[in-house]
Amino acid sequence: QAEDGIRDVERSRGLGDVYKRQALITGASSGIGEEVAKNLANKGYNLILTARRKELLDDIAQEIRKKHNIHVSVIAKDLSKYQTPREILNFCEENNYRVDLLVNNAGYGIKTSFHETSLEDEEDFIRVLGTSVIMLTKLFLPKMISNGGGKIMIVSSVASFAAPSAIQPLYGPIKTFMNRFSDSININYKSKGVTSTAVCPGFTVTGFHTASGVQEQMDRVPKFLVFSAQRIADEAVKATLAGKRLCVPTKTYKFLVFMLRNLPQSVLTLLGKILAPGRYD
C-alpha cells in the first residue's frame, strides 16, 4: 500500500513509470546499510550511497549496478563533520537527485570508558549518531513535503529500551533520543505524507562490533540473539515502506523489548548480565 501511494504521487505529477524512486543511505559501506541498499535496489530504487570509505562504496555500487538496472551514485563523506549533511544535500541538488527515502543508518561505538574518552571523540560520536540524523532529516524534509510525501528510516537499536550499559554508555541514550525524534516527525508530518520509522535491531552480524572494539563481548552473546544484517534490512525496509512508526526486527527481539518495557529494572539488569555479557558487569 505504501509503495502504491508513492506511485500515485508520481502519476499525479505526470511522471508515470518513467520516474524511479530514489533512496539516500548513510553508512552504506557495510552491514545493515549495505543490505538496505541491496534490498532497495531489488525493489527498483535508484541509490545514493554515502559513507567514509569510498573504495568500499565503489565496490558495492559496482556490484549493485551489475545486478540491477538502476542508477547508483556514491559520495564519500564523514558525518562527524559539521558541514557534511549540507554537502550531501548540495550533491543531490547539483545532480538533480530527488530523495524519496532517507535512510539514516551511519553509526559506530566508542571502546574507551566515558571518563577516558576525549571531549572531541564524544562530540564526533554524538554528531554521527544524533546530530547528523536531525540535520539530514531537516534538510531533506521540505523537499519531501513539496513532492507530496516521503519515507525516513532511522536505524536505532534495542539498546534504546534498555538501561545504559557499562560499555558505550552514551549509545543507548542517543538511540532513545532518536526514537523520540522519529516519533516527532510522524506526529508533525504524517498528515503531509512523510512518515518516519525507527528501526531497533538487536545483535546483528556486521563490522560494527569489531570497529567499535567490543567484538569480544559480541562473541559471548548467545547465538539465538544474533541475526544477519540481511534479515534486519529486509524487515526494516518492509516496515519503512509501510509507514510503520517502530520496527523491532525478529520475534525474539519483539519479545525482549516487551520485557524491557514491562519488567522491573533489577530483573532487567540480571537478564542483561546473562544475555549481554560484559555490558552490565
Side-chain angles (χ1 to χ4, degrees):
Q1 289 181 340
E3 290 184 281
D4 289 341
I6 294 176
R7 292 192 189 99
D8 289 342
V9 170
E10 300 309 334
R11 293 191 188 101
S12 70
R13 295 180 177 275
L15 298 174
D17 294 327
V18 175
Y19 175 78
K20 280 192 174 183
R21 293 158 294 168
Q22 192 146 238
L24 168 62
I25 305 167
T26 70
S29 61
S30 63
I32 294 173
E34 178 183 353
E35 294 300 331
V36 167
K38 292 177 178 178
N39 188 297
L40 290 171
N42 193 49
K43 288 178 167 55
Y45 277 79
N46 286 331
L47 303 176
I48 306 157
L49 308 180
T50 184
R52 291 179 302 166
R53 298 172 290 183
K54 188 176 187 303
E55 317 80 46
L56 290 178
L57 286 175
D58 286 338
D59 289 344
I60 292 166
Q62 185 176 5
E63 177 187 347
I64 291 175
R65 290 189 197 104
K66 285 181 178 179
K67 189 173 181 180
H68 304 279
N69 183 30
I70 63 167
H71 185 269
V72 184
S73 296
V74 165
I75 174 171
K77 289 292 178 181
D78 184 351
L79 284 169
S80 69
K81 309 302 181 185
Y82 172 81
Q83 70 275 13
T84 293
R86 191 166 292 280
E87 289 174 348
I88 293 173
L89 175 70
N90 292 341
F91 173 80
C92 292
E93 291 185 338
E94 288 167 4
N95 289 280
N96 199 28
Y97 294 153
R98 166 177 159 175
V99 175
D100 302 288
L101 171 55
L102 171 63
V103 179
N104 290 297
N105 166 73
Y108 66 100
I110 296 178
K111 180 181 180 180
T112 52
S113 298
F114 182 72
H115 71 283
E116 298 174 325
T117 308
S118 71
L119 189 62
E120 291 75 19
D121 285 345
E122 295 290 8
E123 186 176 8
D124 287 348
F125 182 69
I126 294 170
R127 190 173 299 284
V128 174
L129 273 72
T131 310
S132 71
V133 174
I134 296 169
M135 290 179 69
L136 282 169
T137 302
K138 187 173 183 64
L139 289 170
F140 284 97
L141 183 62
K143 278 287 186 180
M144 288 184 174
I145 294 171
S146 65
N147 289 334
K151 302 291 181 186
I152 299 168
M153 179 194 300
I154 297 177
V155 179
S156 181
S157 172
V158 164
S160 63
F161 302 103
S165 66
I167 59 174
Q168 301 178 358
L170 276 181
Y171 185 83
I174 292 175
K175 293 301 188 180
T176 303
F177 176 22
M178 289 299 96
N179 288 1
R180 298 298 300 275
F181 172 66
S182 183
D183 278 342
S184 74
I185 296 299
N186 281 311
I187 290 170
N188 288 287
Y189 299 105
K190 190 173 183 178
S191 62
K192 300 182 185 298
V194 179
T195 59
S196 180
T197 302
V199 178
C200 298
F203 295 113
T204 309
V205 181
T206 68
F208 175 90
H209 299 91
T210 300
S212 301
V214 293
Q215 188 60 48
E216 180 184 351
Q217 288 87 348
M218 177 66 172
D219 292 340
R220 294 163 62 189
V221 172
K223 297 302 179 186
F224 76 91
L225 288 178
V226 181
F227 292 89
S228 70
Q230 184 177 10
R231 168 78 178 273
I232 302 306
D234 181 59
E235 294 197 31
V237 169
K238 286 180 181 176
T240 301
L241 294 181
K244 292 186 177 180
R245 180 185 69 83
L246 177 68
C247 170
V248 180
T250 77
K251 292 180 179 178
T252 300
Y253 279 103
K254 285 181 174 63
F255 176 69
L256 286 176
V257 167
F258 173 80
M259 291 199 299
L260 288 170
R261 284 174 156 176
N262 292 281
L263 291 179
Q265 186 60 54
S266 57
V267 176
L268 294 178
T269 302
L270 177 61
L271 283 174
K273 290 181 178 180
I274 296 171
L275 299 177
R279 286 167 170 76
Y280 299 95
D281 294 345

